[in-house]
């Protein structure tokens, strides 16, 4: 029987990143959505009930899973209420505003015997899957530099959007930085040190719209960067080792495909065009080799496929809440580094 699911919020996250993916995985049924715009919900989900309040959703004994896609400042409160109601919970990234809040939710979920996870979907971006596979092959040799950038050209602050307002958990480090930090921690674990430069580079900005992080590991450095005034972006990924280098331009297509109405299983889902393939320069048997690396297909659906296995069969969570909590800790270290103007040790 399908897992009866409720979604809190039906903005960009709920309508683009969650509902379409859920509908592509047969183990889920979107039973209820909390939204102030029933018409928008019913255009996508005609058979789904729309309610006005979180309390009404949580009072439904049929709902087994609650997905929280509301503003960051509500993540802790709504997740706590859902766990206390005995529901499994998915929280949209970033997990919480503080790591202390995350720890409280992790402890509460364990106490109540429910599953808690966070939607770090960009672990299944096509470029990141390709980078992960490339590192496993050893084609770069001993890694020295891993750099990932997620920049945009948005010269005018959109102050009507809560993500750009002066609120706890707002700003580009929580929004885009949480993706880049999660990918780095997933590959390499926690760093020994962290240095951060955070800025408001656009006139009128109320929250950070630029960051540059350097994560220190024993044998390599991880550089994570994003800005809002980048008209022409450089490589999305740039990796260098003692045997080779890999450069990858362009963005994973799945967000754009979802906005266009495509779904997992459609022809071309998650696939790059050949002109977006990354370029590898390395050495094989003493010979210099340079060529394109075909991008692996992206698969956001893997998150919910994994969650279904966790709920129905006791399998591992697709993202452990402790991993998502560590992302928030790195954001806190970044704020400390910026405030002190120095490199900080990661404890």
């Amino acid at each position: 029987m399908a897992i009866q699911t409720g979604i809190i919020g039906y903005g960009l996250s709920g309508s683009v990143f969650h509902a379409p993916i859920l509908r592509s995985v047969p183990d889920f049924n979107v039973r209820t959505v909390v939204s102030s715009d029933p018409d928008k919900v019913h255009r996508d989900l005609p058979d789904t009930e729309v309610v006005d309040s979180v309390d009404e959703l949580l009072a439904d004994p049929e709902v087994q899973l609650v997905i929280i896609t509301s503003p960051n400042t509500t993540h802790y409160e709504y997740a706590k209420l859902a766990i206390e109601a005995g529901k499994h919970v998915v929280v949209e990234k970033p997990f919480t505003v503080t790591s202390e809040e995350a720890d409280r939710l992790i402890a509460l979920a364990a106490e109540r015997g429910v599953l808690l996870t966070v939607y770090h979907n960009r672990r299944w971006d096509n470029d990141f899957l390709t980078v992960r596979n490339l590192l496993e092959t050893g084609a770069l040799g001993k890694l020295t530099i891993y750099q990932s950038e997620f920049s945009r050209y948005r010269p005018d602050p959109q102050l009507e959007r809560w993500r750009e307002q002066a609120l706890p958990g707002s700003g580009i480090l929580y929004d885009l930085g949480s993706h880049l930090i999660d990918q780095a921690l997933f590959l390499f674990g926690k760093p020994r040190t962290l240095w951060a430069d955070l800025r408001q580079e656009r006139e009128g900005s109320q929250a950070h719209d630029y960051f540059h992080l350097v994560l220190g590991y024993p044998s390599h450095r991880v550089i994570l960067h994003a800005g809002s005034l980048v008209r022409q972006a450089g490589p999305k990924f740039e990796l260098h080792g003692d045997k080779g280098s890999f450069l990858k331009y362009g963005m994973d297509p799945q967000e754009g495909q979802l906005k266009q109405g495509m779904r997992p299983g459609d022809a071309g889902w998650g696939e790059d065009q050949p002109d977006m393939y990354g370029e590898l320069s390395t050495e094989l048997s003493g010979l210099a080799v340079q060529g394109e690396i075909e991008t692996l297909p992206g698969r956001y659906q893997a998150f919910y496929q994994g969650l279904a296995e966790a709920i129905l069969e006791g399998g591992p969570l697709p993202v452990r809440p402790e991993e998502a909590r560590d992302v928030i800790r790195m954001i806190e270290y970044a704020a400390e580094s910026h405030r002190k103007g120095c490199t900080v040790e990661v404890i």
Side-chain angles (χ1 to χ4, degrees):
M1 185 175 177
I3 300 163
Q4 299 302 310
T5 302
I7 302 176
I8 298 175
Y10 206 70
L12 173 67
S13 176
S15 64
V16 173
F17 286 104
H18 290 271
I21 301 295
L22 285 162
R23 294 181 72 187
S24 75
V25 180
D27 292 309
F28 294 95
N29 175 58
V30 181
R31 176 182 174 88
T32 310
V33 172
V34 179
S35 174
S36 59
D37 191 348
D39 291 340
K40 179 182 179 182
V41 176
H42 286 144
R43 281 195 294 270
D44 300 334
L45 306 166
D47 299 323
T48 294
E49 181 184 11
V50 180
V51 298
D52 295 324
S53 72
V54 172
D55 289 341
E56 193 173 351
L57 167 65
L58 298 181
D60 184 350
E62 297 298 318
V63 172
Q64 302 164 271
L65 171 69
V66 172
I67 301 168
I68 298 167
T69 72
S70 48
N72 297 350
T73 52
T74 67
H75 285 188
Y76 173 74
E77 175 190 357
Y78 290 163
K80 181 174 182 290
L81 290 172
I83 292 168
E84 290 174 339
K87 315 297 187 185
H88 304 303
V89 176
V90 174
V91 185
E92 176 59 81
K93 66 80 206 165
F95 186 5
T96 49
V97 173
T98 69
S99 60
E100 182 181 359
E101 289 178 339
D103 282 328
R104 290 177 189 165
L105 293 178
I106 292 168
L108 183 62
E111 176 188 323
R112 298 300 176 98
V114 298
L115 300 181
L116 172 64
T117 186
V118 178
Y119 193 62
H120 277 296
N121 61 307
R122 291 193 179 274
R123 291 187 185 185
W124 292 275
D125 275 358
N126 65 358
D127 47 13
F128 181 69
L129 292 172
T130 304
V131 164
R132 182 183 174 192
N133 183 69
L134 181 64
L135 288 172
E136 291 173 352
T137 69
L140 304 180
K142 183 180 179 181
L143 186 69
T144 56
I145 294 291
Y146 168 102
Q147 181 166 320
S148 181
E149 180 172 347
F150 201 155
S151 292
R152 296 168 170 172
Y153 186 67
R154 294 183 176 176
D156 300 315
Q158 298 174 307
L159 300 181
E160 72 281 1
R161 301 174 70 242
W162 59 262
R163 287 182 176 85
E164 298 200 29
Q165 296 170 3
L167 297 170
S170 291
I172 200 170
L173 184 58
Y174 275 92
D175 185 22
L176 303 182
S178 60
H179 288 307
L180 302 189
I181 294 169
D182 178 68
Q183 290 176 338
L185 298 187
F186 185 69
L187 288 176
F188 308 117
K190 285 183 281 189
R192 291 186 176 181
T193 62
L194 189 150
W195 177 88
D197 179 31
L198 311 177
R199 287 200 292 150
Q200 292 164 230
E201 62 180 3
R202 297 173 299 173
E203 185 176 352
S205 288
Q206 295 182 359
H208 290 130
D209 54 15
Y210 166 100
F211 68 79
H212 190 84
L213 310 182
V214 180
L215 282 59
Y217 292 85
S219 60
H220 67 283
R221 293 292 180 266
V222 167
I223 300 168
L224 308 177
H225 179 86
S228 302
L229 294 176
V230 180
R231 189 184 287 271
Q232 184 170 349
K236 176 66 169 62
F237 284 98
E238 184 173 343
L239 283 74
H240 302 284
D242 62 1
K243 289 186 179 179
S245 297
F246 177 73
L247 274 67
K248 172 71 174 71
Y249 287 82
M251 294 293 295
D252 174 275
Q254 290 173 97
E255 177 177 351
Q257 290 175 336
L258 287 167
K259 289 178 177 177
Q260 294 166 11
M262 287 182 64
R263 300 293 180 263
D266 289 349
W269 172 257
E271 295 180 4
D272 259 351
Q273 296 298 315
D275 61 351
M276 287 289 100
Y277 291 170
E279 185 172 293
L280 173 67
S281 176
T282 187
E283 180 183 298
L284 286 175
S285 301
L287 298 175
V289 177
Q290 187 164 339
E292 294 178 339
I293 299 293
E294 182 175 351
T295 311
L296 297 174
R299 43 190 179 92
Y300 286 170
Q301 66 272 23
F303 176 90
Y304 278 114
Q305 290 169 344
L307 181 58
E309 292 178 7
I311 293 173
L312 299 174
E313 303 172 18
L317 286 168
V319 176
R320 294 190 301 110
E322 293 84 1
E323 295 170 333
R325 182 269 322 278
D326 289 343
V327 171
I328 305 303
R329 283 185 175 169
M330 294 305 113
I331 291 175
E332 292 170 339
Y333 279 118
E336 178 187 354
S337 170
H338 176 72
R339 185 174 65 251
K340 293 180 176 178
C342 66
T343 299
V344 297
E345 291 188 9
V346 175
I347 301 172

